[in-house]
């Protein structure tokens, strides 16, 4: 060490204190070396022959200010939809723009014509959602209609939704539920305004829509023991986990590391355990009360319908 310090001209001068000193070259090296490594990695990547996929992505318009590792993440502000709109206006072409969010190429569609091409003409290409550990946990292996990859399973669950749950007749049958919930909301507004208080619609309307969905999904069982409030709490927890910053969404390879994956999945594991208990209670309540019975004139809820087609579609409660 003394020899190294002497060679660099940083040895201790006579008469000075013997406290350790930081060599002035260390700080610049700590900054420059990582940048050199990043530039070398970027050069090594670009030096490889471009694949057909990379060639196709290179043809898409893209902002020029991409940075190593993070790509265009620094261009997306606290209001992503505003940032994407502004970027698409400036850098997009024919309603298309490519952003590299971390290591993930992301296509931004910003015109009706481009949206039609993505959602209708080439819908099978864009139908599958990228794999995610969080969605795998929250939706039992990403097996629901929103996150399930395009294929036979997705077509089956889509068939159940379109032919059993959301038919025109079924939606119309829930009209009295909607009207009942509207009356309850109007009564609350009337009671609050009668005593001269302001009505908090931002708090009232979410509960209104939540209670409608609760009753349609599971009938009156939802409102027993405050289960409608628990349902809202759990759906809010899902929204925060899916809408928050997930490392694997931008750096999939890094998210595969054990430590990182455990941190990312810890909250999702806690939420899904609560979902398991909640859904088991609802289903057990339907089975024990024999609610799958249409002879009494009652309108069946979603759980009733799913139990009635359980054998036909091979549905099961265990993943």
């Amino acid at each position: 060490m003394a020899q190294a310090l002497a060679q660099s001209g940083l040895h201790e001068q006579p008469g000075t204190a013997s406290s350790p000193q930081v060599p002035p070259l260390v700080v610049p090296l700590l900054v420059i070396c990582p940048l050199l490594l990043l530039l070398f990695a970027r050069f090594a990547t670009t030096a490889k022959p471009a694949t057909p996929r990379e060639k196709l992505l290179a043809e898409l318009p893209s902002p020029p200010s991409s940075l190593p590792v993070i790509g265009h993440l620094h261009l997306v502000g606290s209001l992503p939809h505003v940032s994407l709109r502004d970027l698409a206006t400036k850098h997009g072409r024919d309603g298309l723009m490519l952003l590299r969010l971390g290591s993930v190429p992301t296509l931004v569609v910003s015109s009706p014509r481009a949206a039609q091409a993505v959602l209708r003409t080439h819908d099978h290409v864009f139908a599958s959602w990228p794999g995610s550990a969080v969605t795998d946990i929250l939706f039992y292996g990403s097996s629901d209609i929103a996150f399930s990859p395009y294929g036979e399973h997705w077509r089956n669950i889509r068939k159940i939704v379109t032919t059993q749950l959301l038919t025109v007749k079924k939606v119309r049958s829930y009209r009295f539920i909607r009207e009942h919930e509207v009356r309850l909301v109007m009564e609350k507004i009337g009671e609050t305004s009668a005593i001269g208080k302001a009505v908090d619609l931002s708090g009232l309307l979410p509960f209104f829509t939540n209670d409608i969905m609760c009753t349609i999904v599971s009938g009156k069982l939802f409102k027993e023991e405050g289960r409608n409030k628990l349902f809202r709490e759990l759906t809010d927890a899902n929204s925060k986990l899916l809408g928050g910053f997930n490392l694997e969404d931008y750096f999939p390879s890094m998210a595969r590391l054990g430590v990182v994956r455990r941190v990312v999945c810890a909250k999702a594991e806690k939420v899904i355990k609560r979902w398991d208990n909640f859904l088991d209670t609802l289903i057990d309540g339907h089975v024990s009360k024999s609610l799958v019975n249409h002879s009494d004139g009652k309108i069946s809820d979603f759980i009733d319908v799913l139990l009635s087609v359980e054998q036909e579609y091979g549905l099961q409660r265990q993943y």
Side-chain angles (χ1 to χ4, degrees):
M1 175 65 75
Q3 183 180 4
L5 292 175
Q7 291 175 349
S8 61
L10 298 173
H11 56 280
E12 183 180 345
Q13 298 295 328
T16 59
S18 59
S19 59
Q21 298 181 8
V22 178
L25 292 177
V26 170
V27 175
L29 286 175
L30 290 176
V31 176
I32 294 173
C33 286
L35 290 177
L36 290 175
L37 290 173
L38 289 173
L39 290 174
F40 175 77
R42 187 175 181 85
F43 174 78
T45 301
T46 55
K48 296 178 181 179
T51 64
R53 178 175 181 270
E54 291 171 343
K55 291 180 180 179
L56 179 62
L57 293 178
E59 295 178 1
L60 293 171
S62 181
S65 50
S66 177
L67 296 178
V69 181
I70 66 171
H72 296 106
L73 274 175
H74 64 292
L75 300 179
V76 182
S78 58
L79 298 175
H81 61 291
V82 176
S83 300
L84 295 179
R85 179 202 63 192
D86 294 341
L87 289 170
T89 301
K90 185 176 181 180
H91 302 287
R93 185 175 70 243
D94 297 328
L96 297 175
M97 177 183 65
L98 180 70
L99 292 182
R100 296 190 179 275
L101 303 181
S103 61
V104 179
T106 305
L107 182 66
V108 179
V109 179
S110 57
S111 74
R113 182 182 177 184
Q116 182 178 10
V118 169
L119 298 176
R120 180 175 297 177
T121 308
H122 304 287
D123 58 333
H124 62 287
V125 177
F126 296 93
S128 297
W129 192 270
S132 165
V134 173
T135 56
D136 281 346
I137 294 171
L138 293 178
F139 300 103
Y140 304 96
S142 298
S143 59
D144 72 317
I145 193 171
F147 296 99
S148 177
Y150 180 76
E152 187 64 25
H153 173 73
W154 182 86
R155 286 191 290 269
N156 282 335
I157 56 178
R158 180 179 181 274
K159 182 179 179 181
I160 294 174
V161 171
T162 56
T163 63
Q164 302 292 335
L165 301 180
L166 297 180
T167 63
V168 174
K169 181 179 179 181
K170 182 66 68 177
V171 172
R172 287 177 177 173
S173 69
Y174 296 129
R175 177 179 176 178
F176 80 96
I177 295 175
R178 298 190 291 270
E179 292 176 347
H180 174 71
E181 294 298 335
V182 168
R183 283 195 297 269
L184 293 179
V185 169
M186 296 306 297
E187 288 176 3
K188 291 179 181 179
I189 293 175
E191 292 171 359
T192 305
S193 59
I195 58 178
K197 290 186 177 181
V199 179
D200 182 12
L201 292 179
S202 62
L204 185 62
L205 294 181
F207 278 100
F208 161 68
T209 56
N210 178 74
D211 286 350
I212 290 179
M213 289 304 304
C214 287
T215 309
I216 291 174
V217 169
S218 188
K220 295 181 179 180
L221 284 176
F222 254 111
K223 292 191 176 183
E224 293 180 3
E225 302 175 3
R227 290 175 186 154
N228 56 336
K229 296 180 180 179
L230 177 58
F231 179 78
R232 175 173 168 78
E233 181 180 339
L234 291 175
T235 52
D236 286 344
N238 275 14
S239 298
K240 291 178 180 178
L241 287 171
L242 296 173
F245 180 83
N246 292 320
L247 188 65
E248 63 173 346
D249 292 340
Y250 308 99
F251 305 98
S253 58
M254 186 179 296
R256 296 189 187 100
L257 298 176
V259 176
V260 176
R261 193 176 182 86
R262 282 195 293 271
V263 173
V264 170
C265 299
K267 293 182 179 180
E269 293 283 3
K270 293 180 181 179
V271 172
I272 195 58
K273 288 179 180 178
R274 298 180 65 192
W275 271 114
D276 286 341
N277 295 331
F278 177 62
L279 295 175
D280 282 341
T281 300
L282 290 175
I283 296 172
D284 290 340
H286 278 69
V287 173
S288 63
K289 293 182 179 180
S290 300
L291 293 181
V292 186
N293 183 4
H294 309 295
S295 61
D296 56 2
K298 293 182 179 179
I299 298 175
S300 58
D301 53 51
F302 279 9
I303 294 181
D304 291 336
V305 174
L306 293 177
L307 287 173
S308 68
V309 298
E310 182 178 5
Q311 299 298 325
E312 179 181 354
Y313 289 94
L315 303 179
Q316 54 184 344
R317 295 174 58 175
Q318 300 298 328
Y319 169 66

